[in-house]
Amino acid sequence: MKKYLILAASTLLLAACSEKPGYEITGSVSNADLNGQYVYLYEYGVKDAVPLDSALVQNGAFVLKGSQNSPALRTLRFSEEAVEPARVAPGENAPFMATFVLENGKLTVTLDSTSTVSGTPENDAQKELQGKIKGLRSGIDKLIADMKSGDEKLIEQAEAKYDEIDQKITEAVVNYILAHTDKQTAAKNLYDFRYNIGEDQQNEIISKADSTFKAVPGISYMIDHLNVLKKVAVGQKFTDFEMPDAKGEMHKLSEYVGNGKVVLIDFWASWCPPCRAEMPNLVKTYKQYKNKGFDIVGISLDSKADAWAKGVKDLDITWTQLSDLKGWQNGGAALYGVNSIPHTLLVDKDGTIIAKNLHGQDLEDKIKEVLK
């Protein structure tokens, strides 16, 4: 009898050892209209990806089970016919959609106007960060309304508060990333907030990141971009290129830069509202300093010649303008790592880059300083 008990125990032990560890996703969906719809599991960051799995939503709930060899970023979402895609601020999940780390264990997903995932340490930490971001943004709608009010004092106050909130959010995100440079959620946050986090801080993060972090979609692009920016950083010589003017005549940047004048290289486009808003300041600055050793070279990211020409005329731009009419594929923009506009570089008389992205009074103050 003892022999059979030993054999039975051994069989149970073998069975237990042969079971693969797995995950179980227990999901809830707040919108009753989505009952009877399938929610799909996708690999994160892969365009036109085929669903890895799916589950039917019944009575506001669904379950997904499987096994994951190593943690990986995944996205849960409905078809576009069931839930129309929506753009959201960085750090937020779109309505009824969630990006999370899929790993073995019990995960809880809530698909709602604000979706969350919890159940493992990394997903719990990301959920906590998202809650912090949501709390900081709680009064943003009123601030946006105030900025459209037409009341100058109210607009000024709202803009200052908005910038303060934006800075606090960025600080929270950077702190999270630096504390998790071996985590995929941190890498996703870096990519999502790439326009908010400064170049120096991005370089610091990348220098501390491990291979798992760097393998997340979008990070290799950021690394390449940072390497380009190092070549055109403050203190480096400007990078030359050739581009046509509005008449189709080719010109090298070196015809205007590095020849004894302080030059502002201005990447802009006629379709860019912030560029147009800044242009009166540039017109004023150009008129004031053009005969004192200052010049501007505009590099337009337009793709239509007529729109470019109209923009130049309407905005009273009288300085040199160059464009290959390739929009965001502009050859000069690629060499200077431009991924948002307006983007400016101030270059000293000998061709050394001395400042970046100065506007308004800050630009004028710098020009005064270097023209002494």
Side-chain angles (χ1 to χ4, degrees):
M1 183 68 176
K2 190 181 289 186
K3 179 180 178 183
Y4 288 119
L5 287 173
I6 292 170
L7 285 172
S10 299
T11 303
L12 287 171
L13 182 62
L14 286 170
C17 290
S18 66
E19 287 180 8
K20 287 185 177 181
Y23 61 81
E24 181 176 332
I25 301 173
T26 303
S28 63
V29 182
S30 64
N31 188 343
D33 292 339
L34 293 172
N35 284 321
Q37 297 286 344
Y38 279 88
V39 63
Y40 298 93
L41 181 70
Y42 290 92
E43 186 176 354
Y44 166 76
V46 178
K47 190 177 180 181
D48 301 323
V50 175
L52 301 171
D53 202 352
S54 63
L56 181 67
V57 178
Q58 296 177 301
N59 299 317
F62 66 91
V63 176
L64 283 165
K65 294 181 180 181
S67 182
Q68 187 67 23
N69 292 332
S70 59
L73 282 173
R74 297 287 184 257
T75 297
L76 272 172
R77 64 176 175 83
F78 291 88
S79 69
E80 293 185 4
E81 290 74 22
V83 176
E84 187 176 345
R87 294 188 68 177
V88 295
E92 297 179 13
N93 282 315
F96 302 98
M97 172 180 170
T99 296
F100 64 104
V101 172
L102 181 62
E103 51 191 331
N104 294 325
K106 291 187 179 294
L107 298 172
T108 301
V109 176
T110 301
L111 296 181
D112 201 339
S113 56
T114 303
S115 300
T116 60
V117 181
S118 60
T120 61
E122 184 171 359
N123 286 305
D124 290 346
Q126 175 66 11
K127 181 182 177 181
E128 183 181 349
L129 175 64
Q130 288 172 330
K132 189 178 294 185
I133 292 170
K134 184 179 179 182
L136 287 167
R137 285 188 178 137
S138 60
I140 250 7
D141 289 343
K142 184 182 183 308
L143 292 177
I144 292 172
D146 289 347
M147 285 188 278
K148 296 177 181 177
S149 66
D151 183 328
E152 288 188 13
K153 187 176 181 181
L154 192 60
I155 291 170
E156 186 178 344
Q157 291 173 344
E159 286 177 343
K161 185 63 178 176
Y162 188 96
D163 290 343
E164 180 187 335
I165 291 170
D166 199 49
Q167 185 176 352
K168 286 181 178 178
I169 290 171
T170 302
E171 286 175 0
V173 170
V174 168
N175 289 338
Y176 178 88
I177 295 170
L178 287 172
H180 299 88
T181 50
D182 59 343
K183 301 298 184 185
Q184 296 173 67
T185 53
K188 181 182 182 298
N189 281 313
L190 175 60
Y191 185 76
D192 289 348
F193 283 87
R194 63 194 181 279
Y195 299 121
N196 302 69
I197 300 173
E199 184 181 335
D200 290 344
Q201 215 152 36
Q202 288 188 30
N203 278 311
E204 179 190 357
I205 290 166
I206 293 299
S207 71
K208 296 176 179 179
D210 71 358
S211 58
T212 300
F213 185 109
K214 292 177 181 177
V216 167
I219 300 302
S220 62
Y221 157 79
M222 290 191 66
I223 292 171
D224 291 343
H225 180 67
L226 288 168
N227 287 334
V228 169
L229 292 178
K230 287 174 185 176
K231 297 176 183 177
V232 289
V234 171
Q236 298 292 324
K237 293 289 186 180
F238 80 98
T239 298
D240 202 9
F241 60 83
E242 193 173 38
M243 194 164 284
D245 62 16
K247 296 178 181 178
E249 297 175 359
M250 299 300 293
H251 294 275
K252 286 189 173 183
L253 190 61
S254 54
E255 292 177 34
Y256 315 99
V257 181
N259 292 320
K261 285 188 175 183
V262 174
V263 180
L264 185 75
I265 305 172
D266 176 40
F267 291 92
W268 75 290
S270 67
W271 46 260
C272 165
C275 302
R276 297 181 74 96
E278 177 62 18
M279 208 55 75
N281 294 324
L282 288 189
V283 170
K284 172 178 169 287
T285 302
Y286 182 66
K287 286 178 180 177
Q288 188 171 355
Y289 294 100
K290 67 178 182 178
N291 296 322
K292 299 177 182 179
F294 174 68
D295 199 1
I296 302 176
V297 178
I299 311 298
S300 171
L301 272 64
D302 277 282
S303 56
K304 296 179 180 179
D306 54 349
W308 177 30
K310 187 175 186 303
V312 169
K313 182 180 178 182
D314 291 349
L315 295 166
D316 195 26
I317 297 171
T318 55
W319 52 85
T320 299
Q321 285 287 313
L322 305 175
S323 180
D324 55 13
L325 296 176
K326 293 181 179 179
W328 281 111
Q329 305 307 311
N330 181 283
L335 288 171
Y336 280 84
V338 177
N339 58 10
S340 64
I341 51 176
H343 182 95
T344 64
L345 299 96
L346 191 64
V347 185
D348 209 348
K349 298 174 184 179
D350 65 352
T352 301
I353 298 169
I354 54 176
K356 283 186 174 185
N357 289 318
L358 294 179
H359 305 290
Q361 191 60 48
D362 290 336
L363 173 62
E364 186 174 342
D365 290 346
K366 188 66 176 180
I367 291 168
K368 283 180 184 178
E369 176 191 323
V370 296
L371 287 179
K372 282 181 180 178

